[in-house]
Amino acid sequence: MLALIVAVACTAGAVIMGYPSWCFFFLVTGVTLFLGGLAVLLGLRHKVNRRPPRLWLNLAALTGIIALLYMLTIGPFNGTGLLNLRMRGLVALTGGQGRLQSWAVEVLAQPRDAEDGRSSIEETFTQWDVPRSSWSGQVRRLGPKRVFIQRVFQDGQEGVLLAYGSGFLHWYIVIGPPGSVPDPKLDEHPTDSDWFRWSDGVYCWFAD
């Protein structure tokens, strides 16, 4: 049971602290659950632990460990799932998705000089940086590393992207007008791209 308590506490820590501290908490959670499950299995070698009510307690603990391992690896609360949950919570705490979308629609409506755009790494999509002076108070509190405009929706429709992450993990809050749907071409490269739909026209996108 101690392993489950520690694992749940570390999972909560991962959600609260975010990336990159998230990596440490996830490592501790995985090791704790593995050792906890191993301890339960070794404990069942003793007859006293195979008799009720200890047997039921041990089986319940083992079931809980396996279930939590599943949810944190291939289940809904895996790494990207927890980061998505954290980002969605931050948006809610800073004013909500509606306010963020209203700001993004206003930014998209402003005229831009085509010469100010720059090609992405793949040289397929043109991006326009949104200057910090145009960030809303909510966006500043969300603390993205970069805010830019890119054609990320179907039919060449543009969206505003708030960029986060570093190293091997990058993700974006992607906002467009209501009815915006991600462009399937963006999932062709990289292959492990994940989209989480928050509401109509608002997404969290894990690009790699």
Side-chain angles (χ1 to χ4, degrees):
M1 288 298 181
L2 179 60
L4 285 173
I5 295 173
V6 173
V8 171
C10 287
T11 302
V15 174
I16 295 171
M17 298 300 294
Y19 184 85
S21 300
W22 160 87
C23 300
F24 169 76
F25 283 108
F26 242 66
L27 177 62
V28 173
T29 300
V31 172
T32 300
L33 289 175
F34 173 77
L35 293 178
L38 184 61
V40 172
L41 290 175
L42 292 176
L44 289 174
R45 296 171 58 189
H46 302 285
K47 289 184 178 180
V48 66
N49 291 325
R50 296 199 301 269
R51 297 172 183 169
R54 287 192 177 185
L55 175 61
W56 312 131
L57 290 175
N58 286 322
L59 290 178
L62 189 59
T63 301
I65 288 172
I66 294 174
L68 194 54
L69 276 173
Y70 166 78
M71 289 190 292
L72 294 175
T73 52
I74 60 176
F77 299 119
N78 58 18
T80 55
L82 286 179
L83 282 176
N84 170 66
L85 180 64
R86 181 178 188 272
M87 298 308 301
R88 192 166 185 172
L90 287 176
V91 170
L93 290 173
T94 55
Q97 298 176 29
R99 178 181 295 181
L100 186 62
Q101 189 172 38
S102 296
W103 167 81
V105 170
E106 291 180 3
V107 170
L108 291 171
Q110 296 175 1
R112 294 186 299 278
D113 190 341
E115 295 182 356
D116 292 336
R118 61 178 179 177
S119 297
S120 63
I121 297 176
E122 295 82 5
E123 297 184 354
T124 304
F125 302 99
T126 302
Q127 301 173 348
W128 289 270
D129 284 317
V130 177
R132 188 174 291 269
S133 58
S134 298
W135 294 11
S136 67
Q138 181 185 22
V139 173
R140 293 176 187 274
R141 290 192 295 274
L142 289 171
K145 291 191 171 183
R146 179 184 170 215
V147 179
F148 61 96
I149 296 171
Q150 180 177 309
R151 294 184 178 91
V152 290
F153 296 120
Q154 286 184 353
D155 302 322
Q157 191 174 7
E158 297 173 336
V160 177
L161 287 78
L162 281 60
Y164 298 88
S166 61
F168 66 91
L169 182 62
H170 297 84
W171 70 96
Y172 309 86
I173 297 177
V174 185
I175 318 107
S180 301
V181 179
D183 188 344
K185 294 180 180 178
L186 293 175
D187 291 331
E188 295 176 358
H189 178 76
T191 56
D192 54 353
S193 174
D194 288 322
W195 289 85
F196 292 87
R197 184 181 185 275
W198 290 357
S199 61
D200 190 9
V202 183
Y203 301 84
C204 188
W205 177 34
F206 290 85
D208 51 19

